[in-house]
Amino acid sequence: MRMYDIINKKKRGGHLTKEEICFMVDGYTKGEIPDYQVSALMMAICFQGMDEEETLQLTLAMRDSGDVLDLSAIEGVKVDKHSTGGVGDKTSLVLTPMVAALGIPVAKMSGRGLGHTGGTIDKLECFPGFSTTLSKGQFCENVNRVKVAIMGQAANLAPADKKLYALRDVTATVDQLSLIAASIMSKKLAANADAIVLDVKTGSGAFMKTIDDSFALAKEMVQIGMGVGKRMSAVVTDMDQPLGNAVGNSLEVKEAILSLNGLGPKDFMEVVYALGTEMVLAAGRAKTPEEAAGLLEQTIKERTALDKFAEFVEAQGGDKRYVYQPELLPVGSIQLQVMNTEEGYVSGILAEEIGLASLALGGGRVTKESAVDLSVGVLLHKKRGDKALPGDALATIYANDMEKAKEAYGKIVRAYGTSPQPVEKVPMVKGVIRDGVLAHG
């Protein structure tokens, strides 16, 4: 088998076999096939596309290029959730303890953020002593005992995907649907939960900017998971403005704790309940979406989710006092308000600009080696549809450097759009794909 023939076949629109895909993935991972040949194949795929079977085989080949976790020691239907990424997305901090409080095992792998803000692990490290460096045995034990554990991304999980993504990133071949779906799902399948719920963001602050593209990606990933026997759901959610009010690590943790106390922003909780409903249904804990949502609401009303979050933090070495006393969390020494100048209604907030404001403050990473300042960020006071009078605060900047605060100020001002006419608030959930069928949307 020759790589030249595989490239030529795909260039002409041919169907790649399982053997050809495995040959390419295996050879490239081992360093036996050069970058220039694989980049040529990636570009051919961008122009010719991949069918459902090719996409599944690419996903499985990347999954099998490294370790596949054995979670058989965990009792019950193991659920996981994955977001395609967004600004102010702290859903895992609220969602996982809610689901775990119902006795459903949540086995989750997370990473550190690269870009606008920190990832889930960075946020959790706001709790002194918290660690996601768990052995597989500790991970399984914690899920059995606490019903939730979050572990850092294993070094040898889908190594082919890491290598292929780095190549795609520098050869303008990232934005191809099948390649995106295979990249995400290879890691989720290697993590090996029984049921996977996907949060596919759509809008200006998302990877997929249009509704059609977001639904297409959601359907593709659901099909891949179902192709290997996983219970799959995808929820397409809005990312035309930041999710919730807080952007930045400790600020997002504080908002998560507020949410677990029943005081979460409405837009944020709409997404949390939609994702949680799918996780509860997938675990077989409820028969209807209404029943599932009702069970989740009880975990907030009865504070069982809050207590579960504290138990989870303590089980992974963190100081659980911070859950009950969020004022202990770090906060920037400088607070600067962004003031409104004209009367009107907020017509939109460019999520990406708010994310870049947080990055400018030091709340995210430019490179993997960058240090993250957990105490900085942006707290939004006005969202889409809200009336804003002159002198009203649109947002508060939390910083430790005035020059950085001024840079963030300019980005926030540019992010806000206003209208003299009232602006309608839009639903956060655009649709749900459950077991391959559009449930609503």
Side-chain angles (χ1 to χ4, degrees), residues 13 49 52 73-74 99 195 235 245 249 270 290 293 317 350 362 375 379 390 400:
E52 194 175 301
I74 298 173
V99 173
V235 183
N245 301 325
N249 298 286
E270 185 182 339
E290 294 75 20
L350 294 174
S375 69
L379 191 62
N400 290 311

Side-chain angles (χ1 to χ4, degrees), residues 74-78 105 194:
I74 298 173
E75 301 152 10
V77 178
K78 298 162 280 294
D194 301 315

Side-chain angles (χ1 to χ4, degrees), residues 232-265:
M232 296 293 304
S233 291
V235 183
V236 178
T237 64
D238 182 84
M239 190 40 72
D240 258 336
Q241 64 174 349
L243 184 59
N245 301 325
V247 179
N249 298 286
S250 67
L251 293 175
E252 291 186 41
V253 172
K254 283 186 177 185
E255 186 162 271
I257 293 169
L258 275 175
S259 301
L260 289 167
N261 278 288
L263 302 170

Side-chain angles (χ1 to χ4, degrees), residues 94-102 104 259-260 269 271-281 285-286 289-305:
V94 179
L95 181 62
T96 57
M98 288 171 70
V99 173
L102 295 173
I104 298 166
S259 301
L260 289 167
M269 292 308 294
V271 172
V272 168
Y273 279 119
L275 294 168
T277 294
E278 296 309 310
M279 293 174 81
V280 173
L281 289 171
R285 184 74 168 73
E290 294 75 20
E291 183 189 357
L295 290 170
L296 291 163
E297 285 170 11
Q298 284 300 110
T299 71
I300 298 295
K301 288 176 184 172
E302 296 173 1
R303 300 289 191 269
T304 54

Side-chain angles (χ1 to χ4, degrees), residues 163-400:
K163 195 169 181 182
L164 273 172
Y165 190 89
L167 182 69
R168 288 165 54 214
D169 197 32
V170 295
T171 56
T173 54
V174 167
D175 60 344
Q176 201 281 330
L177 198 66
S178 293
L179 296 178
I180 296 168
S183 174
I184 293 170
M185 289 303 295
S186 64
K187 295 188 286 287
K188 297 320 289 180
L189 295 181
N192 211 17
D194 301 315
I196 302 166
V197 176
L198 303 165
D199 181 5
V200 181
K201 304 293 187 188
T202 189
S204 64
F207 192 70
M208 310 305 280
K209 305 297 184 188
T210 70
I211 288 279
D212 288 348
D213 284 348
S214 301
F215 271 103
L217 176 61
K219 288 173 184 172
E220 191 107 356
M221 292 193 291
V222 166
Q223 288 299 327
I224 290 170
M226 290 175 63
V228 291
K230 300 294 183 184
R231 302 181 194 179
M232 296 293 304
S233 291
V235 183
V236 178
T237 64
D238 182 84
M239 190 40 72
D240 258 336
Q241 64 174 349
L243 184 59
N245 301 325
V247 179
N249 298 286
S250 67
L251 293 175
E252 291 186 41
V253 172
K254 283 186 177 185
E255 186 162 271
I257 293 169
L258 275 175
S259 301
L260 289 167
N261 278 288
L263 302 170
K266 188 178 177 183
D267 64 332
F268 174 61
M269 292 308 294
E270 185 182 339
V271 172
V272 168
Y273 279 119
L275 294 168
T277 294
E278 296 309 310
M279 293 174 81
V280 173
L281 289 171
R285 184 74 168 73
K287 290 187 170 64
T288 66
E290 294 75 20
E291 183 189 357
L295 290 170
L296 291 163
E297 285 170 11
Q298 284 300 110
T299 71
I300 298 295
K301 288 176 184 172
E302 296 173 1
R303 300 289 191 269
T304 54
L306 180 70
D307 292 338
K308 181 58 69 176
F309 188 51
E311 185 186 3
F312 153 69
V313 167
E314 186 175 51
Q316 296 195 206
D319 189 340
K320 73 174 183 181
R321 288 181 307 147
Y322 285 59
V323 175
Y324 299 110
Q325 298 172 263
E327 65 274 10
L328 295 173
L329 289 160
V331 64
S333 59
I334 298 168
Q335 295 180 25
L336 180 64
Q337 289 195 323
V338 180
M339 309 306 290
N340 186 45
T341 55
E342 296 179 12
E343 183 173 347
Y345 297 84
V346 177
S347 58
I349 307 171
L350 294 174
E352 195 166 1
E353 281 296 314
I354 300 295
L356 290 172
S358 180
L359 182 63
L361 294 167
R365 286 186 179 82
V366 178
T367 69
K368 288 181 180 177
E369 290 72 36
S370 301
V372 171
D373 186 342
L374 299 174
S375 69
V376 302
V378 181
L379 191 62
L380 305 175
H381 304 304
K382 300 289 184 182
K383 299 288 292 288
R384 182 175 49 209
D386 291 343
K387 188 170 185 178
L389 299 172
D392 283 351
L394 296 174
T396 300
I397 296 166
Y398 291 80
N400 290 311

Side-chain angles (χ1 to χ4, degrees), residues 117-154:
T117 55
T120 298
I121 290 177
D122 298 295
K123 297 180 195 359
L124 287 167
E125 287 179 349
C126 289
F127 297 100
F130 189 94
S131 174
T132 55
T133 307
L134 304 174
S135 68
K136 196 200 85 173
Q138 288 173 309
F139 181 66
C140 293
E141 182 188 334
N142 278 21
V143 177
N144 278 330
R145 181 168 53 87
V146 184
K147 293 305 176 190
V148 56
I150 295 181
M151 183 165 69
Q153 195 85 27

Side-chain angles (χ1 to χ4, degrees), residues 10 14-18 21 45 48-61 176-179 181-182 185 189 216-228 435-436:
K10 178 48 68 177
H15 170 90
L16 300 183
T17 66
K18 173 183 175 180
I21 290 169
I45 289 169
Q48 295 292 354
M50 299 182 87
D51 63 28
E52 194 175 301
E53 179 62 21
E54 286 175 301
T55 306
L56 175 61
Q57 294 306 329
L58 175 61
T59 306
L60 296 181
Q176 201 281 330
L177 198 66
S178 293
L179 296 178
M185 289 303 295
L189 295 181
L217 176 61
K219 288 173 184 172
E220 191 107 356
M221 292 193 291
V222 166
Q223 288 299 327
I224 290 170
M226 290 175 63
V228 291
D435 296 326

